[in-house]
């Protein structure tokens, strides 16, 4: 009996070590493998390009993380990023306004979408997934109406037959193309948002209250917490982060692509779920979300350098997501209790 107890304890400890450090170990091992087999992989330019490429996914993952913290999930985040792309392009190309104005319009649109999501979830009592799913479809269709389903580009012909008077300003394009020293500006923006998100959730009363709501909304309500306010706040923050990601994306592609953001939802969910598994946290967190984005970037960049076709990438992202779920729900001994607050 004593031997069995010792063996069980040893297995539990081994499992805890795997859960706590497994994803970090996998990330490091993959980086070493690709660095040894592909010399160009570990160069500074390649690393910065990899981080720049994944910055949009990481920022959207932070938005998903905030809604997961309060026990929800924002399915509209990819559509909001696509809306940001379209709104920025229309502001500059159709209405010939400055890039600064376009940033303001995009952020206001993001806040508006977040408030609508909050209204549907908190006031109308619609479950989070259903409310944001409906908003996703509304945005996907509504953003195409003003442009008749066309991508917005400089010099395009508008519906009245005239040529669009504006263009993407050089200053706006620097959102993606600019640098702070040797570091690409999108990487700097990503890191600042990760730090701000970590500080907000871990070092402020508001963040701790949001975690408490995600763990047990009824207990939080009985303790006098304004559950509806904090849940609504999470969806406004999510939409704002999606808008920031959209701004980086549109400055990268240089046009209002109607398909922009279409694949962003699943990637954002994947990195947020990876974040939940890192260091055995058992809860959504900013640094884990960043690691999830970096892990996906390493996998996709490494596969690309090895000559794999683009259609292998979805399989790789799916495998990372399944691995995250195994760490969170199968191996972890923590009771992960995130329930809907409706």
């Amino acid at each position: 009996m004593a031997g069995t107890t010792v063996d069980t304890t040893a297995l539990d400890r081994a499992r805890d070590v795997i859960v706590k450090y497994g994803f970090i170990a996998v990330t490091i091992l993959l980086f070493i493998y690709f660095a040894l087999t592909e010399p160009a992989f570990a160069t500074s330019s390649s690393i910065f390009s990899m981080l720049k490429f994944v910055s949009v996914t990481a920022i959207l993952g932070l938005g998903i993380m905030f809604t997961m913290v309060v026990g929800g999930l924002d399915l509209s985040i990819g559509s909001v990023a696509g809306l940001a792309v379209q709104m920025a392009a229309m502001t500059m190309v159709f209405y010939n306004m400055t890039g600064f104005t376009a940033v303001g319009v995009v952020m206001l649109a993001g806040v508006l979408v977040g408030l609508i999501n909050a209204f549907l979830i908190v006031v109308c009592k619609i479950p989070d997934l259903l409310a944001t799913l409906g908003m996703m479809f509304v945005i996907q269709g509504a953003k195409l109406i003003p442009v008749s389903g066309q991508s917005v580009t400089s010099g395009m012909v508008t519906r009245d037959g005239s040529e669009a008077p504006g263009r993407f300003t050089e200053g706006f394009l620097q959102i993606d193309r600019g640098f702070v020293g040797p570091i690409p500006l999108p990487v700097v923006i990503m890191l600042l948002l990760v730090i701000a998100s970590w500080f907000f959730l871990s070092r402020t009363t508001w963040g701790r209250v949001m975690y408490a709501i995600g763990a047990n909304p009824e207990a939080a309500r009985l303790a006098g917490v304004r559950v509806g306010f904090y849940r609504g706040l999470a969806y406004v923050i999510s939409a704002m982060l999606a808008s920031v990601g959209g701004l980086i994306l549109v400055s990268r592609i240089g046009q209002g692509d109607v398909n922009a953001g279409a694949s962003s939802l699943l990637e954002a969910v994947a990195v947020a779920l990876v974040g939940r598994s890192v260091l055995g946290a058992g809860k959504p967190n900013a640094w884990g979300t960043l690691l999830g984005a970096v892990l996906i970037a390493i996998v996709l960049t490494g596969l690309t350098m090895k000559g794999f076709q683009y259609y292998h990438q979805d399989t790789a992202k799916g495998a990372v997501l399944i691995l995250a779920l195994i760490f969170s729900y199968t191996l972890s001994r923590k009771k992960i209790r995130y329930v809907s607050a409706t």
Side-chain angles (χ1 to χ4, degrees):
M1 180 68 71
T4 303
T5 303
V6 172
D7 290 343
T8 302
T9 303
L11 286 174
D12 287 341
R13 288 177 179 172
R15 182 170 61 179
D16 288 343
V17 170
I18 293 172
V19 169
K20 193 170 185 179
Y21 301 109
F23 256 107
I24 296 176
V26 168
T27 303
I28 294 173
L29 289 173
L30 282 174
F31 183 87
I32 293 173
Y33 168 72
F34 287 125
L36 292 176
T37 57
E38 298 290 338
F41 180 85
T43 62
S44 59
S45 60
S46 176
I47 292 172
F48 282 137
S49 295
M50 186 166 52
L51 293 175
K52 178 181 175 180
F53 167 76
V54 83
S55 59
V56 174
T57 299
I59 292 170
L60 267 60
L62 291 175
I64 290 287
M65 176 201 69
F66 271 98
T67 59
M68 288 174 62
V69 164
V70 295
L73 189 65
D74 186 1
L75 296 182
S76 67
I77 197 163
S79 296
V80 177
L83 177 66
V85 169
Q86 204 77 341
M87 294 291 287
M90 289 175 59
T91 301
M92 287 181 286
V93 175
F94 282 5
Y95 301 105
N96 200 20
M97 294 185 178
T98 64
F100 183 80
T101 303
V103 171
V105 169
V106 165
M107 295 310 298
L108 286 174
V111 171
L112 178 61
V113 172
L115 289 173
I116 294 173
N117 277 336
F119 176 80
L120 293 173
I121 294 165
V122 176
V123 179
C124 299
K125 307 296 183 184
I126 301 174
D128 306 57
L129 291 177
L130 299 180
T132 55
L133 179 65
M135 182 56 64
M136 178 184 76
F137 286 119
V138 168
I139 294 172
Q140 284 179 346
K143 71 178 184 179
L144 302 179
I145 295 173
V147 296
S148 301
Q150 302 180 66
S151 295
V152 179
T153 57
S154 302
M156 69 177 293
V157 177
T158 61
R159 285 191 291 182
D160 62 6
S162 62
E163 183 177 307
R167 60 180 181 83
F168 283 82
T169 65
E170 189 59 36
F172 182 86
L173 294 176
Q174 289 303 306
I175 295 175
D176 181 72
R177 302 172 188 178
F179 287 83
V180 177
I183 307 174
L185 184 55
V187 177
V188 174
I189 295 172
M190 174 185 69
L191 293 175
L192 289 176
L193 289 175
V194 168
I195 293 170
S197 299
W198 164 79
F199 183 85
F200 179 85
L201 290 174
S202 302
R203 294 293 184 268
T204 69
T205 302
W206 285 28
R208 296 189 186 102
V209 168
M210 290 172 78
Y211 273 125
I213 292 171
N216 193 326
E218 188 59 32
R221 186 178 289 108
L222 292 174
V225 173
R226 295 180 295 167
V227 173
F229 170 79
Y230 286 101
R231 290 178 63 220
L233 177 63
Y235 284 90
V236 172
I237 293 174
S238 176
M240 292 177 68
L241 287 168
S243 297
V244 174
L247 286 170
I248 295 174
L249 185 57
V250 69
S251 64
R252 179 174 301 169
I253 61 181
Q255 65 175 0
D257 190 338
V258 293
N259 295 315
S263 63
S264 300
L265 171 62
L266 296 181
E267 296 173 356
V269 171
V271 300
L273 284 172
V274 169
R276 186 170 176 165
S277 310
V278 172
L279 293 175
K283 62 182 181 181
N285 65 92
W287 293 111
T289 300
L290 175 62
L291 180 65
V294 171
L295 175 58
I296 288 179
I298 288 172
V299 171
L300 298 187
T301 303
L303 291 178
T304 300
M305 285 188 172
K306 286 191 167 297
F308 285 87
Q309 297 298 322
Y310 69 90
Y311 44 77
H312 292 101
Q313 296 185 1
D314 286 339
T315 302
K317 287 183 284 190
V320 170
L321 176 56
I322 291 173
L323 186 61
L325 295 174
I326 291 173
F327 273 81
S328 290
Y329 293 97
T330 307
L331 296 178
S332 178
R333 291 192 296 164
K334 286 189 174 184
K335 299 298 184 182
I336 302 176
R337 191 183 176 192
Y338 281 81
V339 297
S340 176
T342 53

